[in-house]
Amino acid sequence: MTFKVLDQEVVREILVTGEFERLIGGIEHQDLECKLTPYRLQDASQDRELAKDISCFANASGGLLLLGVKTEKSSFHSGDEIRKLHPFPEAGIDFEFYKDVLDRWVYPAIRNIEWKWWPSKGNSREGIASIRIPPQPSSIRPFLITKTVEERANRNGDKKKTK
């Protein structure tokens, strides 16, 4: 069985052309991770998830996050497979807020991250976003998450998040 491994050059071409359907069948791997929706950054656990995902790529050899792309487990291989697109309007993402989260959550600062929302060829009002984390100098690694999120139940049994 052949697997569709999408390297960063191929993904970039797909993003530039807006032909996102070409992502379908691609496999997540060490340089590519997909999320169904943008991070919900009013939620501390999502702040941590963003910081974790980006710092993991920065601590390795870089990578690419795609937002608006659904993956599912495959019975044929270990990586998740891209199965569906979930495009969203450009107003649905706030890269400045993402940058602020990284400033507060990750030390030292990760350099030269590329943030972009890409319109779809079929409907330019909707698209997907990419966050490209380039390889970082070994002299500034490791990148550490400087905060934690703890979830605990209060007396009423409701869960409460603390930072």
Side-chain angles (χ1 to χ4, degrees):
M1 174 166 240
T2 306
F3 303 118
K4 185 175 176 181
V5 178
L6 302 170
D7 66 32
Q8 286 193 35
E9 278 186 41
V10 170
V11 173
R12 179 159 176 75
E13 179 203 335
I14 292 169
L15 295 173
V16 167
T17 63
E19 298 171 348
F20 304 143
E21 319 70 50
R22 292 174 48 206
L23 294 168
I24 304 293
I27 308 300
E28 280 186 324
H29 51 82
Q30 67 184 17
D31 298 333
L32 178 66
E33 184 169 339
C34 302
K35 302 288 183 179
L36 177 62
T37 60
Y39 296 88
R40 296 177 321 275
L41 298 179
Q42 296 74 22
D43 178 341
S45 67
Q46 288 283 294
D47 290 2
R48 183 186 182 289
E49 185 72 13
L50 173 67
K52 177 189 70 74
D53 290 344
I54 290 179
S55 64
C56 282
F57 279 131
N59 281 322
S61 57
L64 185 66
L65 279 167
L66 295 179
L67 310 177
V69 179
K70 182 178 181 180
T71 60
E72 294 178 2
K73 297 257 182 248
S74 171
S75 56
F76 300 109
H77 47 78
S78 61
D80 288 357
E81 185 174 330
I82 297 172
R83 297 280 174 90
K84 188 176 178 185
L85 303 171
H86 193 261
F88 55 90
E90 187 172 11
I93 194 160
D94 184 349
F95 289 129
E96 290 305 313
F97 197 82
Y98 285 19
K99 292 173 190 176
D100 182 54
V101 167
L102 290 183
D103 287 345
R104 290 182 286 118
W105 281 73
V106 178
Y107 180 82
I110 300 170
R111 300 177 183 174
N112 304 317
I113 298 173
E114 295 174 12
W115 314 83
K116 181 129 174 90
W117 178 86
W118 305 87
S120 169
K121 182 178 180 180
N123 178 357
S124 63
R125 292 183 313 266
E126 291 191 332
I128 62 177
S130 67
I131 303 171
R132 191 182 83 76
I133 303 90
Q136 301 292 305
S138 59
S139 61
I140 64 171
R141 287 187 266 171
F143 297 95
L144 306 173
I145 296 176
T146 60
K147 296 184 174 203
T148 61
V149 175
E150 181 182 310
E151 189 170 83
R152 62 179 177 206
N154 65 19
R155 290 182 186 168
N156 299 328
D158 299 325
K159 290 188 176 181
K160 182 178 181 179
K161 291 185 180 164
T162 59
K163 290 191 211 181

